[in-house]
Amino acid sequence: MKADKTVNFLMYIAGMTFNLVIMVLVGFMVLAAFTWGFEFGSDFADVMVADGENYEFEFHIPHDSSTAEIAQRLEDYGIIPSRFLFHVELFLRGISNDYTAGTYTLNLNMNNVEINRALRARPHEVAPHYEIRIPEGWTIRDMAAYFEERGFFSAEEFIYVAQYGHFSFAFLQDVPTGRPNRLEGYLFPDTYQIPINPNPGDIITRMLHNFDGRFNDELHARAEEMNLTTDQVIIMASIIERETRLASERPLVSQVIHRRLAQNIRLQMCSTVRYVHQISNMEDPPVHLLYVHLEVDSPYNTYRHAGLPIGPISNPGEAAIRAALWPSDTNYLFFVLRDENTGEHYFSRTEAEHNAARDRYIRNVS
């Protein structure tokens, strides 16, 4: 009996040892698979981006930034595809991700390991730079005039590079070849730090890269759900941006656009006419449109042509883009200015309501 107990105990120990060995082997196999996968993915990503812009930029880590906050900013800027996978890869490789506040030079061709290595290096002083702020709703010509005023380069040079320069971003494949003002809508409005003596291509690349990161998977999925291309979304958002300056009205304007398109009613948006006059004359468009202005013959003029204009009429911010994708749940077909000081509008369901609202506005300003 005692011998049997001893045998059973030894068999139990042997079984536990065997199970432990199996678990360790499986763990090493999983780790090896993850490591191989990350290395393959990194190598594949390197090949994919090797033909793109070899674009360097400054990445600043503020004091008291957590690792999670830094990874989130890297993802928001489009530097890494996923903050979660970034953390997982560094963990599996046993790489420290404790970072020091400061300014670092990164490159879009870097993989996760190279980014981590760069962020763990000694930070350098911020290089001399300019700070520029591009407001929501500016056009390419607005930007060109601003850059010329700052003394960077001529307005004509910026417009030429925006039209004919080569920029390797996948979303630009949807932009029709030969469309005037080709990058209109995609130069994302934001605050940028640019080097001293900048050139148009450097600034444009930064803005396009910002757009690429901001128009994320959520927005792409919503566009597909609504059966819209990215270009159609940006065209709508550009109109919304120029038609109202009130956040509360953006979804309402969006709903009017969607509903009029669905009912095959011309959009008749004044902002599209003003855009035509701006790009035609390179001057400020008329503040108050007359009937003669509405007759201008252009594929951007939504008074004369049905459907969306052939391209965006401004560079919209994220709020306007989201409004284009999430219109309000209302049934308006018209809107007209109510107060020039506040920018508030009347929204109407019928033409009779719209005419009455327009008459009220005329009486108030006369």
Side-chain angles (χ1 to χ4, degrees):
M1 180 67 73
K2 186 174 181 180
D4 290 342
K5 288 184 178 181
T6 301
V7 171
N8 290 339
F9 176 76
L10 292 175
M11 291 180 64
Y12 172 77
I13 295 298
M16 290 293 293
T17 303
F18 177 78
N19 290 336
L20 181 60
V21 170
I22 292 297
M23 291 175 64
V24 170
L25 288 174
V26 170
F28 275 113
M29 290 173 65
V30 170
L31 177 60
F34 268 109
T35 302
W36 177 86
F38 280 121
E39 289 176 347
F40 175 81
S42 297
D43 294 340
F44 181 73
D46 288 344
V47 172
M48 292 298 290
V49 301
D51 295 331
E53 296 285 343
N54 185 29
Y55 175 49
E56 289 190 348
F57 56 95
E58 303 295 322
F59 182 78
H60 183 66
I61 298 179
H63 289 284
D64 300 323
S65 295
S66 67
T67 302
E69 290 171 340
I70 295 169
Q72 179 67 63
R73 288 180 60 227
L74 289 169
E75 181 181 291
D76 290 343
Y77 293 165
I79 302 170
I80 59 175
S82 168
R83 63 185 185 279
F84 173 74
L85 292 179
F86 181 75
H87 285 303
V88 171
E89 179 173 0
L90 298 187
F91 172 76
L92 291 176
R93 292 178 181 270
I95 299 174
S96 169
N97 55 0
D98 294 327
Y99 307 125
T100 303
T103 300
Y104 302 82
T105 300
L106 301 182
N107 189 297
L108 291 185
N109 286 343
M110 288 179 170
N111 58 35
N112 288 347
V113 175
E114 291 168 334
I115 291 171
N116 181 73
R117 186 183 302 123
L119 294 182
R120 292 174 63 210
R122 181 177 179 180
H124 56 74
E125 296 294 329
V126 179
H129 66 277
Y130 295 118
E131 183 172 282
I132 59 173
R133 181 182 178 277
I134 307 301
E136 292 86 350
W138 266 18
T139 66
I140 286 177
R141 291 182 181 268
D142 292 327
M143 297 178 196
Y146 168 69
F147 294 140
E148 182 174 84
E149 183 180 340
R150 291 286 300 265
F152 296 160
F153 34 72
S154 70
E156 290 79 7
E157 184 180 358
F158 182 79
I159 293 171
Y160 180 87
V161 175
Q163 182 64 25
Y164 300 107
H166 176 70
F167 302 98
S168 300
F169 291 91
F171 60 84
L172 293 179
Q173 296 176 4
D174 294 333
V175 176
T177 303
R179 184 167 77 188
N181 308 301
R182 174 179 62 125
L183 299 183
E184 196 82 271
Y186 297 95
L187 302 184
F188 198 83
D190 206 342
T191 298
Y192 296 90
Q193 292 185 352
I194 60 173
I196 299 295
N197 300 320
N199 62 65
D202 178 70
I203 295 177
I204 290 171
T205 299
R206 291 168 188 264
M207 301 174 82
L208 293 174
H209 177 61
N210 197 2
F211 175 91
D212 197 24
R214 297 300 189 95
F215 204 96
N216 56 27
D217 291 342
E218 177 194 14
L219 303 188
H220 280 293
R222 176 60 174 172
E224 290 182 6
E225 179 184 335
M226 300 184 74
N227 198 28
L228 295 172
T229 66
T230 299
D231 199 48
Q232 289 171 324
V233 173
I234 298 305
I235 293 173
M236 291 184 188
S238 72
I239 297 174
I240 295 168
E241 194 72 81
R242 294 305 291 259
E243 286 290 335
T244 181
R245 60 178 186 263
L246 300 180
S248 61
E249 289 190 350
R250 291 192 190 107
L252 298 174
V253 174
S254 174
Q255 181 268 305
V256 170
I257 293 173
H258 282 280
R259 193 154 185 255
R260 291 178 80 91
L261 290 173
Q263 297 187 23
N264 200 28
I265 302 173
R266 291 183 183 179
L267 294 183
Q268 297 183 319
M269 298 287 168
C270 294
S271 57
T272 64
V273 178
R274 291 192 174 93
Y275 182 73
V276 173
H277 285 280
Q278 184 194 32
I279 62 176
S280 300
N281 306 321
M282 204 167 176
E283 297 176 355
D284 291 334
V287 176
H288 297 289
L289 295 178
L290 305 176
Y291 285 111
V292 66
H293 295 134
L294 306 182
E295 292 301 315
V296 62
D297 187 14
S298 168
Y300 284 98
N301 184 355
T302 56
Y303 276 86
R304 294 196 61 172
H305 299 278
L308 292 171
I310 63 168
I313 64 166
S314 73
N315 293 275
E318 185 174 349
I321 294 173
R322 286 186 169 275
L325 289 168
W326 282 276
S328 66
D329 186 19
T330 51
N331 58 351
Y332 295 125
L333 275 174
F334 307 89
F335 63 93
V336 67
L337 190 62
R338 179 175 186 170
D339 189 324
E340 288 189 355
N341 294 322
T342 65
E344 186 180 3
H345 291 83
Y346 291 109
F347 288 84
S348 306
R349 294 172 176 82
T350 67
E351 189 170 4
E353 292 177 357
H354 174 65
N355 291 336
R358 183 186 59 195
D359 292 342
R360 284 197 300 272
Y361 169 73
I362 293 174
R363 286 195 302 269
N364 290 336
V365 298
S366 60

